[in-house]
Amino acid sequence: MHFGFGMEIEAVAVDIDGTLTDKRRSLNCKAVEALRKLKIPVVLATGNISCFARTAAKLIGVSDIVICENGGVVRFEYDGEDIILGNKEKCYRALKALEKKFDIVLLDDSYRKAEICLRRTFRKEDAEEILENYGVKIIDSGFAYHIIDENVSKGKALRFIAERIGVDVKSFVAIGDSENDIELFEVAGIGVAVANAHLKLKEVADVVTSKPDGEGVVEALEFLGLI
Amino acid sequence: MHFGFGMEIEAVAVDIDGTLTDKRRSLNCKAVEALRKLKIPVVLATGNISCFARTAAKLIGVSDIVICENGGVVRFEYDGEDIILGNKEKCYRALKALEKKFDIVLLDDSYRKAEICLRRTFRKEDAEEILENYGVKIIDSGFAYHIIDENVSKGKALRFIAERIGVDVKSFVAIGDSENDIELFEVAGIGVAVANAHLKLKEVADVVTSKPDGEGVVEALEFLGLI
């Protein structure tokens, strides 16, 4: 379809936690049913592990193409392979530096292939100072901290996917709520922040919905004429 | 609540694929919303891996207690540990015997902790003959074959969970669609088969719904006065 932004919308990339789910991390059923109505591919983009993302894609009933670990891993098929875009070794070196200073609790580490996920047991700013020269960044998803290869982002992963499936990355609409969605908005044609989104994401968004999380997703899809 | 079967219903155990989902494996949103209304614990019971089950529990918004790998693994918390009830080594020995006869395609093997999952590339009956003396059973979930320790079942796992959480296993209602739900029905107080269920499951069910999968779950919860 053709949209006022002067572009054809050919695909949707949507974050999961805080965007399709509420604070308890339960799916918003209205958003699920709205996504199922779309005639264009829907790519889920999450900071969570590939096993979470592939399950979510299957249960929600959208394409099996997923961005996981904040862009460190992508996957094209439910029974396919993880494609690893981030360097976890760099993250481990950074972790060692953090362990000297803070009590660290790792989350899902055996499942993570490109990044390290930690409980939020310290101030992010304090960690950033320590991590300056490790080639990594620290992301606060609102649910956990992620130590991630600085060369990795949801945006770069979306570009990788767009090339692979032969869709112009600028014809994607991206919908999200967190700081880790900023790079997604930068590469997509349109960025939609839901009402509960982080202020920094709202600043770079083309559209900010009036409703939060899943209700905001439905609002956005209606506003864009996609449903 | 008190029910005509002369028992108090204190918890629900429900299968995922083919019960909460349709043939495409997408969640039935009406069933999801019905389960969220329940004031009693809901335990998901699946042949799938723990990572699938914990994600499903989180996204559906029920308790984090899950039965995975057909009872070979149970889990009590989202960020907790897998408790392994089945012996995967026995399954590997059985697999070696099958490999001599059939082309084998393993599914999710690196994630499976208690059983082996295979594509349905041969007749189940032919495999059963070969596997007679290996201490394993072969289950057809309708989506894949599972080679599983013969001492493991969804029913035994439910008994384990019921003891751990201090609920009489007979006060559980179990809802399912497949042969691998038979043992679940045997230990639970009431067994409900959805309309699309396997004939063998319907034979041991106390109630068979008139509607299939997710619609059948809603029908059952209404019939039992739980919503």
Side-chain angles (χ1 to χ4, degrees):
Chain A
M1 56 85 68
H2 196 78
F3 187 69
F5 289 97
M7 61 171 270
E8 297 279 333
I9 297 174
E10 291 179 44
V12 176
V14 58
D15 171 56
I16 303 178
D17 276 320
T19 304
L20 291 177
T21 67
D22 59 19
K23 280 204 187 95
R24 289 182 51 242
R25 304 182 66 188
S26 306
L27 281 174
N28 183 298
C29 287
K30 286 180 199 154
V32 167
E33 290 183 332
L35 290 174
R36 285 180 189 165
K37 284 186 202 155
L38 298 183
K39 301 273 183 286
I40 53 179
V42 175
V43 173
L44 299 181
T46 177
N48 215 315
I49 52 180
S50 75
C51 179
F52 180 97
R54 79 198 269 256
T55 303
K58 189 57 85 190
L59 294 176
I60 292 170
V62 291
S63 96
D64 287 335
I65 308 172
V66 289
I67 296 172
C68 333
E69 297 191 29
N70 294 300
V73 174
V74 297
R75 206 178 161 96
F76 288 87
E77 291 169 49
Y78 182 77
D79 284 325
E81 297 292 325
D82 288 332
I83 298 171
I84 297 165
L85 305 178
N87 180 346
K88 191 168 178 178
E89 281 310 310
K90 274 162 97 172
C91 306
Y92 273 130
R93 285 195 289 274
L95 180 71
K96 276 192 184 154
L98 291 184
E99 279 173 337
K100 287 180 191 154
K101 197 98 185 229
F102 310 118
D103 286 332
I104 298 291
V105 184
L106 295 182
L107 294 172
D108 299 327
D109 197 54
S110 63
Y111 288 114
R112 291 198 181 261
K113 297 179 179 177
E115 57 154 50
I116 291 169
C117 186
L118 312 172
R119 260 197 221 294
R120 296 153 94 222
T121 55
F122 49 86
R123 285 180 58 232
K124 189 184 159 205
E125 294 70 27
D126 296 341
E128 274 169 340
E129 246 174 64
I130 297 170
L131 296 183
E132 244 172 25
N133 300 311
Y134 284 87
V136 299
K137 52 190 172 182
I138 180 164
I139 289 174
D140 181 0
S141 72
F143 295 90
Y145 290 148
H146 299 254
I147 311 286
I148 183 164
D149 182 342
E150 67 185 354
N151 298 318
V152 153
S153 72
K154 283 188 182 180
K156 283 186 183 155
L158 188 66
R159 203 186 289 281
F160 179 90
I161 286 171
E163 275 173 25
R164 186 69 80 90
I165 64 173
V167 169
D168 180 0
V169 72
K170 283 284 163 218
S171 69
F172 266 86
V173 172
I175 311 176
D177 77 312
S178 300
E179 276 188 87
N180 62 352
D181 297 313
I182 290 176
E183 290 95 340
L184 203 59
F185 284 19
E186 284 170 355
V187 304
I190 303 174
V192 180
V194 287
N196 54 299
H198 195 285
L199 195 63
K200 285 189 186 162
L201 187 70
K202 288 184 177 174
E203 282 169 4
V204 300
D206 299 295
V207 180
V208 177
T209 66
S210 64
K211 293 177 191 162
D213 50 65
E215 310 267 322
V217 172
V218 177
E219 181 186 336
L221 296 176
E222 283 171 351
F223 173 72
L224 294 169
L226 292 171
I227 54 170
Chain B
M1 57 88 64
H2 194 77
F3 187 69
F5 290 97
M7 61 171 273
E8 296 281 331
I9 297 174
E10 290 180 46
V12 176
V14 59
D15 171 56
I16 302 177
D17 277 320
T19 304
L20 291 177
T21 66
D22 59 21
K23 279 201 188 99
R24 289 183 50 243
R25 304 182 68 188
S26 305
L27 281 174
N28 182 297
C29 288
K30 286 179 200 156
V32 167
E33 290 183 332
L35 289 174
R36 286 179 189 165
K37 284 185 202 156
L38 298 182
K39 301 274 182 287
I40 54 179
V42 175
V43 173
L44 298 181
T46 177
N48 215 315
I49 52 180
S50 75
C51 179
F52 180 96
R54 78 198 271 255
T55 303
K58 189 58 84 189
L59 294 176
I60 293 171
V62 291
S63 96
D64 287 334
I65 307 171
V66 289
I67 296 172
C68 333
E69 298 190 29
N70 293 300
V73 175
V74 298
R75 203 176 163 100
F76 288 87
E77 289 169 51
Y78 182 79
D79 285 324
E81 297 292 324
D82 288 332
I83 299 171
I84 297 166
L85 304 178
N87 180 346
K88 191 170 179 179
E89 280 310 310
K90 274 161 97 173
C91 306
Y92 274 129
R93 284 194 289 275
L95 180 71
K96 277 193 181 154
L98 292 184
E99 279 173 339
K100 287 181 190 154
K101 197 96 186 230
F102 310 116
D103 286 331
I104 298 291
V105 184
L106 295 182
L107 294 172
D108 299 327
D109 197 55
S110 63
Y111 288 115
R112 291 198 180 261
K113 297 180 178 175
E115 58 154 52
I116 291 169
C117 186
L118 312 172
R119 260 197 222 293
R120 296 153 92 222
T121 56
F122 49 86
R123 285 181 58 234
K124 188 184 160 206
E125 295 70 26
D126 296 340
E128 275 169 342
E129 246 174 63
I130 298 170
L131 296 182
E132 245 173 23
N133 299 311
Y134 284 88
V136 299
K137 53 190 172 181
I138 179 163
I139 289 173
D140 181 0
S141 72
F143 296 89
Y145 291 148
H146 300 255
I147 311 285
I148 183 164
D149 183 342
E150 66 184 356
N151 298 318
V152 153
S153 73
K154 283 188 182 179
K156 282 185 184 156
L158 188 66
R159 204 186 288 281
F160 179 89
I161 286 171
E163 275 174 26
R164 186 72 78 90
I165 65 172
V167 168
D168 180 359
V169 73
K170 284 282 161 217
S171 70
F172 267 87
V173 172
I175 312 176
D177 78 312
S178 301
E179 277 187 85
N180 62 352
D181 297 313
I182 291 176
E183 290 95 338
L184 203 58
F185 284 20
E186 285 170 354
V187 304
I190 303 174
V192 179
V194 287
N196 54 300
H198 195 286
L199 195 62
K200 284 189 187 164
L201 187 71
K202 288 184 176 173
E203 282 169 3
V204 300
D206 300 295
V207 179
V208 177
T209 66
S210 64
K211 293 178 191 163
D213 50 65
E215 310 267 323
V217 172
V218 177
E219 182 186 337
L221 297 176
E222 283 171 352
F223 173 73
L224 295 169
L226 292 172
I227 53 170

